[in-house]
Amino acid sequence: MKKIISLILPLLLLNTLSLSAFSKELSQQEKFITKLLNQQVRQHISVQHSVASILKRYPEQVETVLKVALHSYPSKYRQIIIGALRAEPALAPEVVETMITANVTDSENIVRIAVEAEPAYAREIVNIAASHRPKEIEEIVRVAIITEPFVTNDVIDDTLLSYPGKLLDILTGAMKALPDQVAGLVKSALTLYPDEADDVVSLAVSSSQSQQTRDIISAAVEAGAHEDSVIAAAIAGGAKQEELAKR
């Protein structure tokens, strides 16, 4: 028994010191939110509903509430995101930014959870996620579209306009999410960036089935690209010259 106690006491002391250090770092407002959140959870109210009820009362404290909730219940990040968005959907950009900064899970997962919870704010969710994780923009766009197809046009148009330097990455993500709509994506992209026809067509052809090649070429020409240049780009993307000759 003495040996067990001697093993447990250091652990209890360590936990006590950790909690003490945390409480010293907290502001008065954070201490209050921590107490409020823990009280609700002890009453068997889920973390999701606890976060939602607190933010409905104190929407201006979103950063504090999320910080406290993540510190107390880090594995419940999904509930925390949903609870925050259910309390006030307009908080979506702040919620996503806080979660990505906190590194609780990968950015695509955060986007998926947030878009599922508040599809009306998908454009803002994708934008803030992409601004913090620009190298992951392809997956961010793909996940957002797959999660909520109805937001496709808003997400693609807004992201293309906001991140012109990531044109091909954005299109790649969109084409993976919508493999049957590649021609339409080409036309949308070239309407915004007509000078990028060669790269866009080459990417589209290499990312799609061969039966879509003619539609891709037609879409690019309709968007204003020169037909000979488009055909050359399609061949560069893997199209067979003899197939294109049958047009």
Side-chain angles (χ1 to χ4, degrees):
M1 178 63 79
K2 287 182 178 179
K3 286 184 178 180
I4 293 173
I5 292 174
S6 65
L7 288 170
I8 292 175
L9 278 175
L11 292 174
L12 291 174
L13 181 60
L14 181 61
N15 285 338
T16 303
L17 290 172
S18 298
L19 289 171
S20 175
F22 175 62
S23 63
K24 285 179 182 178
E25 293 173 3
L26 293 178
S27 66
Q28 288 301 115
Q29 191 62 47
E30 288 169 333
K31 289 178 183 177
F32 169 70
I33 297 296
T34 301
K35 183 178 179 181
L36 196 58
L37 179 63
N38 290 335
Q39 278 179 346
Q40 292 199 34
V41 173
R42 279 196 296 270
Q43 293 169 6
H44 304 292
I45 300 172
S46 70
V47 173
Q48 178 179 320
H49 287 98
S50 297
V51 168
S53 65
I54 293 170
L55 279 176
K56 283 177 182 176
R57 292 163 63 185
Y58 307 104
E60 74 284 355
Q61 294 294 332
V62 58
E63 189 175 342
T64 299
V65 173
L66 293 176
K67 175 183 176 182
V68 166
L70 283 173
H71 183 275
S72 301
Y73 309 99
S75 66
K76 304 288 187 182
Y77 60 84
R78 180 182 177 84
Q79 287 194 38
I80 294 168
I81 294 171
I82 295 172
L85 295 180
R86 293 281 161 80
E88 181 50 71
L91 295 175
E94 291 175 81
V95 173
V96 171
E97 181 174 28
T98 300
M99 291 293 165
I100 288 177
T101 303
N103 231 3
V104 292
T105 183
D106 58 71
S107 58
E108 301 97 88
N109 197 26
I110 293 170
V111 168
R112 182 184 296 106
I113 295 167
V115 170
E116 275 180 359
E118 259 327 309
Y121 283 83
R123 183 174 59 183
E124 291 82 357
I125 290 166
V126 168
N127 206 303
I128 198 73
S131 70
H132 283 273
R133 297 286 188 272
K135 291 182 180 179
E136 298 166 22
I137 196 167
E138 176 186 322
E139 277 301 294
I140 288 170
V141 169
R142 185 188 68 81
V143 166
I145 294 171
I146 288 175
T147 303
E148 184 48 77
F150 288 111
V151 305
T152 296
N153 290 337
D154 284 345
V155 165
I156 292 174
D157 289 350
D158 187 71
T159 313
L160 285 173
L161 287 170
S162 299
Y163 303 95
K166 295 288 184 179
L167 170 64
L168 298 183
D169 291 327
I170 295 166
L171 281 179
T172 299
M175 288 172 186
K176 286 180 179 178
L178 303 166
D180 296 329
Q181 298 180 36
V182 173
L185 293 170
V186 166
K187 192 170 183 178
S188 296
L190 295 185
T191 299
L192 295 173
Y193 300 106
D195 293 338
E196 304 297 329
D198 290 353
D199 287 339
V200 168
V201 170
S202 182
L203 171 68
V205 170
S206 65
S207 303
S208 60
Q209 299 295 319
S210 59
Q211 59 265 31
Q212 293 179 277
T213 300
R214 293 186 182 182
D215 289 337
I216 291 168
I217 292 172
S218 296
V221 172
E222 287 174 19
H226 191 276
E227 185 173 20
D228 290 343
S229 178
V230 169
I231 290 174
I235 292 170
K240 295 180 179 179
Q241 193 162 10
E242 59 270 24
E243 286 295 320
L244 297 180
K246 296 177 183 178
R247 292 181 73 248

